Amino acid sequence: MAVSGTVLVLRALGVGDLLTAVPALRALREEFDGNRIVLAAPEALRELADLVEAVDRLHPTAGLGELEWHAEPPAVAVNLHGKGPESLRDLLDADPSALISHRNPAVPNVPGPDWRPELHEVDRWCRLLEEYGIAADPTDLALGPPPRPAAHRGAVVVHAGAAAAARRWPPDRFAWVARHLQDDGHDVVLTGGPAEADLARSVAEAAGIAPERVLAGRTRLDELAAVVAAAGLVVSGDTGIAHLATAFGTPSVVLFGPSPPTLWGPPPGVRRHVAMWAGRTGDPLGESPDPGLLELEPEPVLDQCRELIGRHGR
């Protein structure tokens, strides 16, 4: 697709969302070599976007309705945000010469393939581009090492938080696993965002882990990326840090529910990542831990952690 001008890509979401779009972003870089690739995404993702090495500039965009594009109309706008009419309208307001997107009946003048809910998030965006003749490799997920030096090299990272309550495994279970891993002789650190600092401290206290090992609320995204890249293991729910583990090749045990790993999980067949799922789906926006997630007991989780450390220990 020969164009001249800016390629504007909308993905104004979170860490995991950006990382699952890495293969698509790199495919766009390859297809539009010589054009400027601008990613509309939250400012907090800037350091991570730099590691993708496919984006020329980040256009700070907090979410839908926040695009505020006042520059020259883009040659191509690419909707990697979602299926709703809001993302389409945000990009149409930028007046692009061409638009790559799924179709939505609420915006009937925009063609495109139908949204397929059964696709893994990585495959979804690769297949969208392929519909427009742009080759994309869904396995192209790896990031290079972060430039920031890593603290706690070889540590076990325990991340108890998640954006939705439905995806939060109970903190006492995380504490049980963390305590046993510390008893095994591993340096265990607790991560999370500022809103998850209290949760991380409660897990550390219940596990008998020293307060200085609680990194939650004290690390910027680039610092968190460095911790994950140097870690020996990541244990978490279905949330952004699991995708960081995939990107850096760090062994991980990821607890799924209510969404299955076939939609958001690590690449199948990669033995350094274990996706644990009870086989039940539920409401991803539920206000309490999903019943399927609660079927995952701490003992099998600890067993998987120990097996991965034994197999891939750093």
Side-chain angles (χ1 to χ4, degrees):
M1 184 183 294
V3 302
S4 178
T6 296
V7 177
L8 174 62
V9 185
L10 178 62
R11 187 71 168 165
L13 295 162
V15 170
D17 305 284
L18 173 57
L19 294 173
T20 53
V22 164
L25 289 168
R26 289 177 173 161
L28 290 169
R29 172 80 283 161
E30 180 72 19
E31 178 69 17
F32 298 110
D33 187 35
N35 298 88
R36 186 173 64 159
I37 307 292
V38 176
L39 174 66
E43 173 64 32
L45 299 181
R46 183 176 295 276
E47 292 90 352
L48 195 57
D50 289 343
L51 292 178
V52 176
E53 297 183 336
V55 175
D56 296 306
R57 184 168 72 84
L58 185 136
H59 179 72
T61 306
L64 293 176
E66 304 288 335
L67 181 56
E68 297 185 3
W69 184 260
H70 303 301
E72 180 180 346
V76 182
V78 185
N79 186 0
L80 299 185
H81 189 93
K83 64 178 180 178
E86 298 90 348
S87 53
L88 273 171
R89 290 170 180 148
D90 276 0
L91 289 172
L92 287 171
D93 285 346
D95 195 25
S97 299
L99 177 60
I100 294 174
S101 179
H102 292 91
R103 65 179 296 274
N104 186 287
V107 191
N109 58 318
V110 177
D114 290 331
W115 182 271
R116 294 176 56 186
E118 78 280 6
L119 290 180
H120 190 286
E121 190 72 1
V122 174
D123 294 331
R124 177 185 320 289
W125 306 114
C126 290
R127 293 198 185 196
L128 170 64
L129 297 186
E130 288 166 359
E131 290 282 345
Y132 288 85
I134 301 172
D137 178 5
T139 67
D140 189 13
L141 292 162
L143 298 182
R148 176 175 289 275
H152 304 284
R153 181 168 294 276
V156 172
V157 174
V158 175
H159 190 99
R167 292 186 276 123
R168 293 183 204 134
W169 203 47
D172 62 312
R173 300 192 191 185
F174 273 114
W176 189 91
V177 172
R179 175 183 288 276
H180 281 78
L181 290 171
Q182 181 171 255
D183 289 347
D184 287 348
H186 301 294
D187 177 19
V188 179
V189 297
L190 287 299
T191 58
E196 297 165 333
D198 288 343
L199 170 62
R201 282 191 287 266
S202 71
V203 171
E205 183 177 359
I209 293 171
E212 60 267 25
R213 294 292 187 267
V214 178
L215 307 182
R218 300 195 290 118
T219 51
R220 300 196 310 268
L221 183 53
D222 59 335
E223 294 171 322
L224 176 62
V227 169
V228 171
L233 179 73
V234 170
V235 188
S236 76
D238 171 19
T239 191
I241 199 167
H243 298 282
L244 280 173
T246 295
F248 294 123
T250 301
S252 64
V253 175
V254 187
L255 313 178
F256 280 85
S259 298
T262 52
L263 299 183
W264 284 92
V270 179
R271 296 183 66 206
R272 67 178 56 244
H273 305 298
V274 173
M276 301 185 69
W277 181 50
R280 295 176 54 181
T281 58
D283 178 8
L285 301 178
E287 297 182 357
S288 59
D290 181 73
L293 182 61
L294 294 179
E295 289 184 20
L296 300 177
E297 296 291 341
E299 291 88 347
V301 173
L302 178 62
D303 290 343
Q304 292 288 356
C305 292
R306 286 170 167 166
E307 182 178 343
L308 279 184
I309 291 171
R311 189 191 308 153
H312 302 287
R314 296 182 175 183

